Amino acid sequence: MSSGPPASKKPAITLDGLSGSGKSTLARRLALELQWAYLDSGAWYRALTWAVLQNQADPADSEAILSVLSQITLSCRSDGNVLVDGALIDQQLRTPEIDQAVSMVADHSDVREALNQRMRLLRDAPDILGVVADGRDAGAIIFPDAALKIFVEVDVEVRAERRYQQQLKAKLSVDYPSTLAALRVRDQRDRARGAAAPQIHPGDRVLNNESVTVEEAIRRLLSWASELSAV
Ligand code: DC
């Protein structure tokens, strides 16, 4: 556990994990319970990717991406929804085009650093009590001085089954083996990002999110948060 942020900085709690581990659901709820701001770092990567595609820039070209980033403002509401130049674009962030391009955008280390700097500014907002951030490297890289760092663990087959059920509900034509294979590919890509890869670091609290309900998981998170002096 770190010695905490400088006095001017609001406290942060981070939840990291692989795709489909349920960390966003938990982070959003935890932020709501604590009345802190919620930062969905994956949504920031998606929003930048949306702007890159809108500008017909190449997601494989980091200079082109940085140029797009320098021309837009990115912000978010306390519910995590991201705004590009003040416009809410959350409905456009989960398309197959963005799904495909966002991994490429997230592969560039210089783009990651530039985006991290933008996300870190959120803690300077005068009207927030703290930030709950989720992602892959929220605890290790975005907010290394977070007061509480949680790693959310769920086996890949359980994550694939959950995603498959969501896709069936959304009436998408899918099958379990392809959902599992796609998730394994995403995991591999995420794990190839060196220091930014989702992994358990010393001092992390590990939440196994396989056979607990959201309510049980939230109770556990709130009990960890209650140990912090800032909460
Ligand atoms: O969690 P998500 O599926 O919305 O994330 C979108 C993409 O952004 C995914 O390719 C992983 C990447 N990402 C990242 O590299 N680092 C983060 N802190 C958050 C997301």
Side-chain angles (χ1 to χ4, degrees), residues 1-58:
M1 189 109 11
S2 75
S3 57
S8 61
K9 283 233 159 66
K10 306 291 167 46
I13 293 177
T14 57
L15 285 90
D16 287 306
L18 286 157
S19 185
S21 56
K23 58 192 183 310
S24 297
T25 304
L26 298 178
R28 185 178 293 108
R29 263 291 300 278
L30 181 63
L32 203 65
E33 299 281 345
L34 297 175
Q35 304 208 330
W36 287 16
Y38 167 47
L39 170 66
D40 175 353
S41 63
W44 283 61
Y45 278 94
R46 289 175 180 274
L48 173 58
T49 304
W50 176 85
V52 164
L53 298 182
Q54 288 285 110
N55 282 276
Q56 292 173 358
D58 179 1

Side-chain angles (χ1 to χ4, degrees), residues 41-42 45-46 94 102-103 106 112 135-137 186 190 193:
S41 63
Y45 278 94
R46 289 175 180 274
R94 292 183 195 271
V102 68
S103 296
R112 299 188 69 87
R136 310 291 191 283
D137 59 348
R186 288 195 71 179
D190 280 345
R193 293 202 186 102

Side-chain angles (χ1 to χ4, degrees), residues 216-229:
E216 286 165 341
I218 288 293
R219 270 203 297 280
R220 175 98 40 94
L221 297 180
L222 282 172
S223 115
W224 287 339
S226 70
E227 295 169 14
L228 306 175
S229 56

